[in-house]
Amino acid sequence: QVQLVESGGGSVQPGGSLRLACTSSGFSLNYYSIGWFRQAPGKEREGVSCVGLQENSAYYVDSVKGRFTISRDNAKNSVYLQMTDLKPEDTGIYFCAAPIGAREIIFTQDLCNMKGVDTWGQGTQVTVSS
């Protein structure tokens, strides 16, 4: 069974940091571009950061540039999202996702617009509040 699993969410004060992790079962993350998405209460899901097979292909939405860093560890079959200087507007459920069934190259910005995304994790809650 193909699955994505997120971990690392929690509650922090503004200015704090969290590191989210995404791993998989039933397939290897190492062969796919991976995206991090979030959904705040009452808002649509949005792409936060996406990475191709090489980390230098990373894309970030403007609101997180300079604060979030996406990375891969192929030895651990994991993709991470390091989040620093967190703000209340970063609050939401964070999902990792992948285009497992894609038969074409999907660029990271397109992935963050959900192009080709067909596999989602269950999400992890991030709450930023004083």
Side-chain angles (χ1 to χ4, degrees):
Q1 184 179 2
V2 171
Q3 270 191 315
L4 289 169
V5 180
E6 303 93 339
S7 61
S11 294
V12 296
Q13 293 185 339
S17 299
L18 285 172
R19 188 176 82 151
L20 306 183
C22 173
T23 190
S24 67
S25 61
F27 73 103
S28 172
L29 293 182
N30 299 348
Y31 302 110
Y32 297 94
S33 297
I34 302 295
W36 282 100
F37 300 79
R38 67 185 177 192
Q39 188 163 18
K43 294 189 176 181
E44 292 187 354
R45 194 171 297 189
E46 66 168 344
V48 175
S49 181
C50 295
V51 66
L53 300 186
Q54 303 296 326
E55 289 183 2
N56 61 8
S57 64
Y59 167 84
Y60 299 91
V61 69
D62 285 347
S63 60
V64 308
K65 283 181 181 177
R67 300 189 297 121
F68 290 12
T69 303
I70 193 169
S71 62
R72 316 185 65 118
D73 186 336
N74 289 345
K76 295 184 177 180
N77 189 40
S78 295
V79 174
Y80 302 100
L81 187 67
Q82 178 69 49
M83 307 186 294
T84 63
D85 189 22
L86 282 160
K87 305 176 186 296
E89 52 264 41
D90 294 317
T91 294
I93 301 174
Y94 282 68
F95 303 86
C96 65
I100 304 303
R103 294 293 180 263
E104 59 179 314
I105 295 174
I106 298 176
F107 295 104
T108 50
Q109 185 170 357
D110 291 334
L111 182 63
C112 269
N113 286 319
M114 301 189 198
K115 180 178 180 180
V117 172
D118 57 11
T119 303
W120 294 88
Q122 83 289 349
T124 185
Q125 177 70 44
V126 171
T127 302
V128 185
S129 173
S130 56

